[in-house]
Amino acid sequence: MALRELKVCLLGDTGVGKSSIVWRFVEDSFDPNINPTIGASFMTKTVQYQNELHKFLIWDTAGQERFRALAPMYYRGSAAAIIVYDITKEDSFQTLKNWVKELRQHGPPNIVVAIAGNKCDLSDAREVSEKDAKDYADSIHAIFVETSAKNAININEVFIEISQRIPVSEPGGGAGARASNSADSPPRAAAPAADDPPPKP
Ligand SMILES: Nc1nc2c(ncn2[C@@H]2O[C@H](COP(=O)(O)OP(=O)(O)OP(=O)(O)O)[C@@H](O)[C@H]2O)c(=O)[nH]1
């Protein structure tokens, strides 16, 4: 069976739920007391989809302002970026727009962008309308989903949709990947050397 390796990074404000989305996707679990990410963390997950194995190499970046300068190390080598905001925090949607601008200016030219409005289980506290976010995503030709890492809504779907958009020939999205794999789910704060380290700044 063909194996595709797909490099994906997650970007977005602190606390929007990037690590929780990755944790739900990779481990199918949710931790309400999860710690903020320091620097970045790396995980992999392989899923079978339509007679192909898709190995996602996932860089989960830290949203805290003090780590912002590190992000280019992770998005530069990525075939796709999931930019996350929190539907209960308008500010986080503005931060998302800044990430889109930065990716447009400094990211790989053909990077696939997915916008995830996370914490959709908290719709009573909603500050960002689904329509506004969808209209914005359409205007930049991005994938759009509302997700809940807590309730496992649209988490697998966003990864599969990304894999369908990444051309096979794209760096970080190609077929014919190496056969030697590290364990599929290294610890949350695995060192960047675990697999495919990002280029030095
Ligand atoms: N209700 C709800 N809470 C969530 C959801 N996803 C994450 N959280 C909570 O939001 C808080 C922040 O989650 P994280 O996954 O650490 O957020 P992050 O974006 O990775 O934050 P940084 O690592 O600082 O960038 C935690 O208390 C999570 O339990 C969700 O879908 N619903």
Side-chain angles (χ1 to χ4, degrees), residues 71-173:
M73 289 201 298
Y74 303 102
Y75 65 63
R76 271 190 204 129
S78 295
I82 302 176
I83 314 181
V84 184
Y85 69 97
D86 174 344
I87 69 151
T88 73
K89 294 214 163 59
E90 172 71 33
D91 282 1
S92 70
F93 190 57
Q94 296 310 318
T95 303
L96 172 140
K97 291 180 177 174
N98 293 337
W99 279 118
V100 170
K101 281 188 202 138
E102 180 167 336
L103 275 184
R104 290 281 182 260
Q105 285 173 4
H106 305 292
N110 299 323
I111 192 165
V112 170
V113 174
I115 290 178
N118 192 41
K119 307 194 188 180
C120 71
D121 55 286
L122 300 178
S123 59
D124 287 355
R126 177 187 287 279
E127 287 185 3
V128 182
S129 89
E130 188 167 5
K131 182 179 182 315
D132 286 355
K134 170 91 171 74
D135 287 350
Y136 173 71
D138 287 347
S139 75
I140 60 159
H141 309 291
I143 295 164
F144 173 71
V145 276
E146 285 199 346
T147 55
S148 169
K150 183 176 180 190
N151 291 355
I153 297 169
N154 279 338
I155 303 295
N156 292 342
E157 287 79 357
V158 69
F159 282 90
I160 289 299
E161 213 167 316
I162 282 171
S163 73
Q164 298 311 292
R165 286 251 199 136
I166 298 173
V168 171
S169 57
E170 202 56 32

Side-chain angles (χ1 to χ4, degrees), residues 1-4 46-54 176-177:
M1 194 179 300
L3 174 69
R4 287 184 80 191
T46 303
V47 292
Q48 187 180 338
Y49 185 70
Q50 290 181 348
N51 254 358
E52 254 185 350
L53 289 174
H54 298 250

